[in-house]
Amino acid sequence: MSDPSHPSDPLLPGDGTVPASGRRRRKRRGLPGCLAVLVALAIVAGGLYFAVTRGVAWVEDQFAEPDDFAGPGRGEVAFEVVEGDSSAAICRGLKADGVVASVQACIDAAAANPDSPGIQVGFYPLKKEMASEDAIDVLVDPANIITNAVTIPEGLNTDQVVEILAESTDFRAGAFERVLDQPDRIGLPEYAGGNPEGYLFPSTYSFGPNAKPLDMVQAMVTRWRQAADEAGLEDAAAELGYTPHELMTVASLVEAEGRGDDMPKVARVIYNRVENPDNGQTNGLLQIDAAVNYALGKEPIAVLSQDQIDSVADSPYNTYTQPGLPPGPIEAPGDAAIQAAANPAEGSWLYYVTVDLSTGETKFTDSYDEFLSFKSELQAYCANESDRC
């Protein structure tokens, strides 16, 4: 027991008893807690600095000028605009080809040019590292489109077409001939029998700088298909009682023999002779000089000699010795000739003679005697204009 006359001494802190004052003493806060707070504040401050810095950079980016080359550029780039390209698509292509420095600078230049919505399909001559404004200025002018324009006149045979293609492009004749030996690839109809004669449509073609012989020949056959469809060639053939290939043969003969409004009449003469071989006058012989010229392999001659006709007597293209149509076209007919073959005029004519080669005046008849008088007119014309006959 404790001595009641000597109060007990207060116990030292930490013995678990409450001191005489009745209050528990607070523990003093140590250094590690303060350090944690300081670290947290530092992290918050760092995050705010990073966010502010990024935000300022983003705002600056929004108002900064996009990258653009000063120009005028270097080297050569043949840039293609394809059907359906938007300004953004064009600018992405220009950036990918190294023409412009940034898509945005290009888009801005296009937006500033009122002619940019009218940029046409085709290839354009540009350079590497051009100013965007300069590149757009080139694209908005259709006169800058790179084309290799090749004109194929009506009435040429396949060899003549190949000759023009070789002279007008960077490819040799052999390259086109190899393509023509692949009828399925160039799109010939099955009824052409693999022979392109007559199916290389005469027109003016604009070939891009990357066009190859296959592309060029395909374009010509595709244009023929368009003309054939517009004339209703296949339906007309069925209605007239011929194959489409036979109608193309007629069209080629019409191209060689007729002009303008006379073409449907020439077509009718051909049909009348083929369909009435027992008329007592023609015996089914077309007697068309252009077909004999094809057999001779020569340029057209207005008046053939008997020796010339006899020299190719066995040829299926000799319409003086072989009745009916030749086995195929003799040259490439144009729109008018195909239309005439599909829509011949009404008439009983069996003969025609072009009596004036300078004007193309042609006379038609179903009388042999009248035909002989027309022929005399032509002979008189040739006597005075021998250079035309």
PDB file of all heavy atoms in Angstrom, residues 57-81:
ATOM      1  N   ALA A  57       0.511  25.361 -75.894  1.00  0.00           N
ATOM      2  CA  ALA A  57       1.029  24.848 -77.170  1.00  0.00           C
ATOM      3  C   ALA A  57      -0.110  24.537 -78.127  1.00  0.00           C
ATOM      4  O   ALA A  57      -0.023  24.803 -79.332  1.00  0.00           O
ATOM      5  CB  ALA A  57       1.882  23.598 -76.920  1.00  0.00           C
ATOM      6  N   TRP A  58      -1.200  23.958 -77.610  1.00  0.00           N
ATOM      7  CA  TRP A  58      -2.347  23.634 -78.475  1.00  0.00           C
ATOM      8  C   TRP A  58      -2.955  24.894 -79.053  1.00  0.00           C
ATOM      9  O   TRP A  58      -3.284  24.974 -80.236  1.00  0.00           O
ATOM     10  CB  TRP A  58      -3.383  22.866 -77.665  1.00  0.00           C
ATOM     11  CG  TRP A  58      -4.581  22.466 -78.497  1.00  0.00           C
ATOM     12  CD1 TRP A  58      -4.701  21.371 -79.282  1.00  0.00           C
ATOM     13  CD2 TRP A  58      -5.816  23.185 -78.618  1.00  0.00           C
ATOM     14  NE1 TRP A  58      -5.926  21.345 -79.894  1.00  0.00           N
ATOM     15  CE2 TRP A  58      -6.636  22.459 -79.502  1.00  0.00           C
ATOM     16  CE3 TRP A  58      -6.301  24.362 -78.059  1.00  0.00           C
ATOM     17  CZ2 TRP A  58      -7.911  22.879 -79.843  1.00  0.00           C
ATOM     18  CZ3 TRP A  58      -7.574  24.781 -78.398  1.00  0.00           C
ATOM     19  CH2 TRP A  58      -8.366  24.054 -79.288  1.00  0.00           C
ATOM     20  N   VAL A  59      -3.116  25.909 -78.187  1.00  0.00           N
ATOM     21  CA  VAL A  59      -3.689  27.175 -78.659  1.00  0.00           C
ATOM     22  C   VAL A  59      -2.788  27.795 -79.716  1.00  0.00           C
ATOM     23  O   VAL A  59      -3.246  28.289 -80.753  1.00  0.00           O
ATOM     24  CB  VAL A  59      -3.901  28.149 -77.477  1.00  0.00           C
ATOM     25  CG1 VAL A  59      -4.295  29.536 -77.996  1.00  0.00           C
ATOM     26  CG2 VAL A  59      -4.968  27.610 -76.544  1.00  0.00           C
ATOM     27  N   GLU A  60      -1.467  27.746 -79.465  1.00  0.00           N
ATOM     28  CA  GLU A  60      -0.538  28.283 -80.455  1.00  0.00           C
ATOM     29  C   GLU A  60      -0.648  27.554 -81.781  1.00  0.00           C
ATOM     30  O   GLU A  60      -0.585  28.160 -82.850  1.00  0.00           O
ATOM     31  CB  GLU A  60       0.894  28.206 -79.916  1.00  0.00           C
ATOM     32  CG  GLU A  60       1.182  29.192 -78.790  1.00  0.00           C
ATOM     33  CD  GLU A  60       2.585  29.021 -78.237  1.00  0.00           C
ATOM     34  OE1 GLU A  60       3.209  27.963 -78.553  1.00  0.00           O
ATOM     35  OE2 GLU A  60       3.055  29.906 -77.507  1.00  0.00           O
ATOM     36  N   ASP A  61      -0.827  26.201 -81.724  1.00  0.00           N
ATOM     37  CA  ASP A  61      -0.968  25.402 -82.948  1.00  0.00           C
ATOM     38  C   ASP A  61      -2.187  25.818 -83.748  1.00  0.00           C
ATOM     39  O   ASP A  61      -2.173  25.786 -84.984  1.00  0.00           O
ATOM     40  CB  ASP A  61      -1.048  23.908 -82.614  1.00  0.00           C
ATOM     41  CG  ASP A  61       0.298  23.342 -82.203  1.00  0.00           C
ATOM     42  OD1 ASP A  61       1.316  24.014 -82.464  1.00  0.00           O
ATOM     43  OD2 ASP A  61       0.315  22.233 -81.612  1.00  0.00           O
ATOM     44  N   GLN A  62      -3.239  26.192 -83.039  1.00  0.00           N
ATOM     45  CA  GLN A  62      -4.470  26.542 -83.745  1.00  0.00           C
ATOM     46  C   GLN A  62      -4.321  27.832 -84.531  1.00  0.00           C
ATOM     47  O   GLN A  62      -5.000  28.046 -85.528  1.00  0.00           O
ATOM     48  CB  GLN A  62      -5.651  26.656 -82.761  1.00  0.00           C
ATOM     49  CG  GLN A  62      -5.888  25.423 -81.899  1.00  0.00           C
ATOM     50  CD  GLN A  62      -5.861  24.155 -82.706  1.00  0.00           C
ATOM     51  OE1 GLN A  62      -6.651  23.987 -83.638  1.00  0.00           O
ATOM     52  NE2 GLN A  62      -4.954  23.248 -82.366  1.00  0.00           N
ATOM     53  N   PHE A  63      -3.467  28.693 -84.074  1.00  0.00           N
ATOM     54  CA  PHE A  63      -3.319  29.990 -84.716  1.00  0.00           C
ATOM     55  C   PHE A  63      -2.040  30.110 -85.526  1.00  0.00           C
ATOM     56  O   PHE A  63      -1.838  31.095 -86.221  1.00  0.00           O
ATOM     57  CB  PHE A  63      -3.375  31.104 -83.655  1.00  0.00           C
ATOM     58  CG  PHE A  63      -4.734  31.214 -82.994  1.00  0.00           C
ATOM     59  CD1 PHE A  63      -4.981  30.610 -81.771  1.00  0.00           C
ATOM     60  CD2 PHE A  63      -5.762  31.888 -83.613  1.00  0.00           C
ATOM     61  CE1 PHE A  63      -6.224  30.704 -81.172  1.00  0.00           C
ATOM     62  CE2 PHE A  63      -7.013  31.992 -83.025  1.00  0.00           C
ATOM     63  CZ  PHE A  63      -7.254  31.398 -81.797  1.00  0.00           C
ATOM     64  N   ALA A  64      -1.186  29.081 -85.485  1.00  0.00           N
ATOM     65  CA  ALA A  64       0.062  29.122 -86.241  1.00  0.00           C
ATOM     66  C   ALA A  64      -0.197  28.824 -87.712  1.00  0.00           C
ATOM     67  O   ALA A  64      -1.123  28.104 -88.068  1.00  0.00           O
ATOM     68  CB  ALA A  64       1.053  28.107 -85.672  1.00  0.00           C
ATOM     69  N   GLU A  65       0.604  29.409 -88.581  1.00  0.00           N
ATOM     70  CA  GLU A  65       0.501  29.137 -90.004  1.00  0.00           C
ATOM     71  C   GLU A  65       0.945  27.708 -90.288  1.00  0.00           C
ATOM     72  O   GLU A  65       1.986  27.277 -89.784  1.00  0.00           O
ATOM     73  CB  GLU A  65       1.382  30.115 -90.788  1.00  0.00           C
ATOM     74  CG  GLU A  65       0.897  31.539 -90.777  1.00  0.00           C
ATOM     75  CD  GLU A  65      -0.380  31.714 -91.570  1.00  0.00           C
ATOM     76  OE1 GLU A  65      -0.563  30.957 -92.546  1.00  0.00           O
ATOM     77  OE2 GLU A  65      -1.194  32.558 -91.196  1.00  0.00           O
ATOM     78  N   PRO A  66       0.179  26.932 -91.109  1.00  0.00           N
ATOM     79  CA  PRO A  66       0.618  25.565 -91.436  1.00  0.00           C
ATOM     80  C   PRO A  66       1.863  25.604 -92.309  1.00  0.00           C
ATOM     81  O   PRO A  66       2.130  26.585 -93.002  1.00  0.00           O
ATOM     82  CB  PRO A  66      -0.588  24.995 -92.204  1.00  0.00           C
ATOM     83  CG  PRO A  66      -1.309  26.190 -92.743  1.00  0.00           C
ATOM     84  CD  PRO A  66      -1.107  27.281 -91.735  1.00  0.00           C
ATOM     85  N   ASP A  67       2.608  24.520 -92.265  1.00  0.00           N
ATOM     86  CA  ASP A  67       3.834  24.439 -93.055  1.00  0.00           C
ATOM     87  C   ASP A  67       3.533  24.584 -94.532  1.00  0.00           C
ATOM     88  O   ASP A  67       2.544  24.052 -95.045  1.00  0.00           O
ATOM     89  CB  ASP A  67       4.530  23.098 -92.811  1.00  0.00           C
ATOM     90  CG  ASP A  67       5.085  22.991 -91.391  1.00  0.00           C
ATOM     91  OD1 ASP A  67       5.284  24.044 -90.772  1.00  0.00           O
ATOM     92  OD2 ASP A  67       5.303  21.855 -90.917  1.00  0.00           O
ATOM     93  N   ASP A  68       4.387  25.317 -95.220  1.00  0.00           N
ATOM     94  CA  ASP A  68       4.237  25.489 -96.662  1.00  0.00           C
ATOM     95  C   ASP A  68       5.617  25.731 -97.253  1.00  0.00           C
ATOM     96  O   ASP A  68       6.483  26.346 -96.622  1.00  0.00           O
ATOM     97  CB  ASP A  68       3.321  26.664 -96.977  1.00  0.00           C
ATOM     98  CG  ASP A  68       2.743  26.598 -98.376  1.00  0.00           C
ATOM     99  OD1 ASP A  68       3.018  25.598 -99.092  1.00  0.00           O
ATOM    100  OD2 ASP A  68       1.999  27.517 -98.767  1.00  0.00           O
ATOM    101  N   PHE A  69       5.828  25.194 -98.474  1.00  0.00           N
ATOM    102  CA  PHE A  69       7.082  25.448 -99.156  1.00  0.00           C
ATOM    103  C   PHE A  69       7.057  26.832 -99.778  1.00  0.00           C
ATOM    104  O   PHE A  69       5.998  27.338-100.172  1.00  0.00           O
ATOM    105  CB  PHE A  69       7.327  24.407-100.251  1.00  0.00           C
ATOM    106  CG  PHE A  69       7.538  23.007 -99.732  1.00  0.00           C
ATOM    107  CD1 PHE A  69       6.751  21.951-100.184  1.00  0.00           C
ATOM    108  CD2 PHE A  69       8.542  22.741 -98.814  1.00  0.00           C
ATOM    109  CE1 PHE A  69       6.951  20.666 -99.727  1.00  0.00           C
ATOM    110  CE2 PHE A  69       8.754  21.450 -98.342  1.00  0.00           C
ATOM    111  CZ  PHE A  69       7.950  20.416 -98.792  1.00  0.00           C
ATOM    112  N   ALA A  70       8.220  27.424 -99.892  1.00  0.00           N
ATOM    113  CA  ALA A  70       8.315  28.741-100.514  1.00  0.00           C
ATOM    114  C   ALA A  70       8.202  28.651-102.034  1.00  0.00           C
ATOM    115  O   ALA A  70       7.823  29.611-102.698  1.00  0.00           O
ATOM    116  CB  ALA A  70       9.640  29.404-100.125  1.00  0.00           C
ATOM    117  N   GLY A  71       8.523  27.459-102.591  1.00  0.00           N
ATOM    118  CA  GLY A  71       8.514  27.307-104.032  1.00  0.00           C
ATOM    119  C   GLY A  71       9.826  27.795-104.622  1.00  0.00           C
ATOM    120  O   GLY A  71      10.722  28.203-103.886  1.00  0.00           O
ATOM    121  N   PRO A  72       9.985  27.826-105.925  1.00  0.00           N
ATOM    122  CA  PRO A  72       9.024  27.396-106.940  1.00  0.00           C
ATOM    123  C   PRO A  72       8.963  25.893-107.173  1.00  0.00           C
ATOM    124  O   PRO A  72       8.183  25.419-107.990  1.00  0.00           O
ATOM    125  CB  PRO A  72       9.543  28.099-108.198  1.00  0.00           C
ATOM    126  CG  PRO A  72      11.026  28.152-107.988  1.00  0.00           C
ATOM    127  CD  PRO A  72      11.216  28.382-106.524  1.00  0.00           C
ATOM    128  N   GLY A  73       9.790  25.138-106.476  1.00  0.00           N
ATOM    129  CA  GLY A  73       9.767  23.692-106.647  1.00  0.00           C
ATOM    130  C   GLY A  73      10.930  23.186-107.460  1.00  0.00           C
ATOM    131  O   GLY A  73      11.711  23.951-108.029  1.00  0.00           O
ATOM    132  N   ARG A  74      11.025  21.868-107.542  1.00  0.00           N
ATOM    133  CA  ARG A  74      12.123  21.231-108.265  1.00  0.00           C
ATOM    134  C   ARG A  74      11.637  19.918-108.867  1.00  0.00           C
ATOM    135  O   ARG A  74      10.654  19.330-108.415  1.00  0.00           O
ATOM    136  CB  ARG A  74      13.283  20.953-107.314  1.00  0.00           C
ATOM    137  CG  ARG A  74      12.906  20.050-106.164  1.00  0.00           C
ATOM    138  CD  ARG A  74      14.045  19.806-105.192  1.00  0.00           C
ATOM    139  NE  ARG A  74      13.632  18.976-104.064  1.00  0.00           N
ATOM    140  CZ  ARG A  74      13.506  17.655-104.097  1.00  0.00           C
ATOM    141  NH1 ARG A  74      13.769  17.008-105.224  1.00  0.00           N
ATOM    142  NH2 ARG A  74      13.134  16.979-103.023  1.00  0.00           N
ATOM    143  N   GLY A  75      12.331  19.469-109.899  1.00  0.00           N
ATOM    144  CA  GLY A  75      12.002  18.188-110.518  1.00  0.00           C
ATOM    145  C   GLY A  75      10.655  18.201-111.219  1.00  0.00           C
ATOM    146  O   GLY A  75      10.094  19.261-111.522  1.00  0.00           O
ATOM    147  N   GLU A  76      10.115  17.018-111.477  1.00  0.00           N
ATOM    148  CA  GLU A  76       8.845  16.867-112.184  1.00  0.00           C
ATOM    149  C   GLU A  76       7.976  15.830-111.483  1.00  0.00           C
ATOM    150  O   GLU A  76       8.467  14.793-111.045  1.00  0.00           O
ATOM    151  CB  GLU A  76       9.065  16.440-113.632  1.00  0.00           C
ATOM    152  CG  GLU A  76       9.821  17.459-114.474  1.00  0.00           C
ATOM    153  CD  GLU A  76      10.021  16.985-115.896  1.00  0.00           C
ATOM    154  OE1 GLU A  76       9.663  15.819-116.182  1.00  0.00           O
ATOM    155  OE2 GLU A  76      10.535  17.759-116.713  1.00  0.00           O
ATOM    156  N   VAL A  77       6.686  16.145-111.380  1.00  0.00           N
ATOM    157  CA  VAL A  77       5.705  15.214-110.822  1.00  0.00           C
ATOM    158  C   VAL A  77       4.467  15.248-111.718  1.00  0.00           C
ATOM    159  O   VAL A  77       3.885  16.311-111.923  1.00  0.00           O
ATOM    160  CB  VAL A  77       5.292  15.600-109.383  1.00  0.00           C
ATOM    161  CG1 VAL A  77       4.192  14.663-108.880  1.00  0.00           C
ATOM    162  CG2 VAL A  77       6.484  15.553-108.444  1.00  0.00           C
ATOM    163  N   ALA A  78       4.086  14.106-112.282  1.00  0.00           N
ATOM    164  CA  ALA A  78       2.834  14.008-113.045  1.00  0.00           C
ATOM    165  C   ALA A  78       1.749  13.602-112.057  1.00  0.00           C
ATOM    166  O   ALA A  78       1.626  12.430-111.698  1.00  0.00           O
ATOM    167  CB  ALA A  78       2.965  12.996-114.178  1.00  0.00           C
ATOM    168  N   PHE A  79       0.964  14.572-111.635  1.00  0.00           N
ATOM    169  CA  PHE A  79      -0.031  14.321-110.587  1.00  0.00           C
ATOM    170  C   PHE A  79      -1.400  14.084-111.215  1.00  0.00           C
ATOM    171  O   PHE A  79      -1.835  14.845-112.080  1.00  0.00           O
ATOM    172  CB  PHE A  79      -0.110  15.505-109.629  1.00  0.00           C
ATOM    173  CG  PHE A  79      -1.095  15.318-108.515  1.00  0.00           C
ATOM    174  CD1 PHE A  79      -0.807  14.505-107.432  1.00  0.00           C
ATOM    175  CD2 PHE A  79      -2.337  15.932-108.558  1.00  0.00           C
ATOM    176  CE1 PHE A  79      -1.725  14.321-106.402  1.00  0.00           C
ATOM    177  CE2 PHE A  79      -3.262  15.764-107.545  1.00  0.00           C
ATOM    178  CZ  PHE A  79      -2.957  14.945-106.461  1.00  0.00           C
ATOM    179  N   GLU A  80      -2.077  13.015-110.759  1.00  0.00           N
ATOM    180  CA  GLU A  80      -3.375  12.658-111.336  1.00  0.00           C
ATOM    181  C   GLU A  80      -4.515  13.036-110.404  1.00  0.00           C
ATOM    182  O   GLU A  80      -4.530  12.695-109.226  1.00  0.00           O
ATOM    183  CB  GLU A  80      -3.443  11.165-111.628  1.00  0.00           C
ATOM    184  CG  GLU A  80      -4.750  10.753-112.307  1.00  0.00           C
ATOM    185  CD  GLU A  80      -4.841   9.263-112.580  1.00  0.00           C
ATOM    186  OE1 GLU A  80      -4.025   8.504-112.032  1.00  0.00           O
ATOM    187  OE2 GLU A  80      -5.733   8.862-113.360  1.00  0.00           O
ATOM    188  N   VAL A  81      -5.507  13.739-110.965  1.00  0.00           N
ATOM    189  CA  VAL A  81      -6.778  13.992-110.289  1.00  0.00           C
ATOM    190  C   VAL A  81      -7.775  12.990-110.865  1.00  0.00           C
ATOM    191  O   VAL A  81      -7.968  12.921-112.079  1.00  0.00           O
ATOM    192  CB  VAL A  81      -7.278  15.431-110.530  1.00  0.00           C
ATOM    193  CG1 VAL A  81      -8.659  15.627-109.905  1.00  0.00           C
ATOM    194  CG2 VAL A  81      -6.293  16.440-109.956  1.00  0.00           C
TER     195      VAL A  81
END
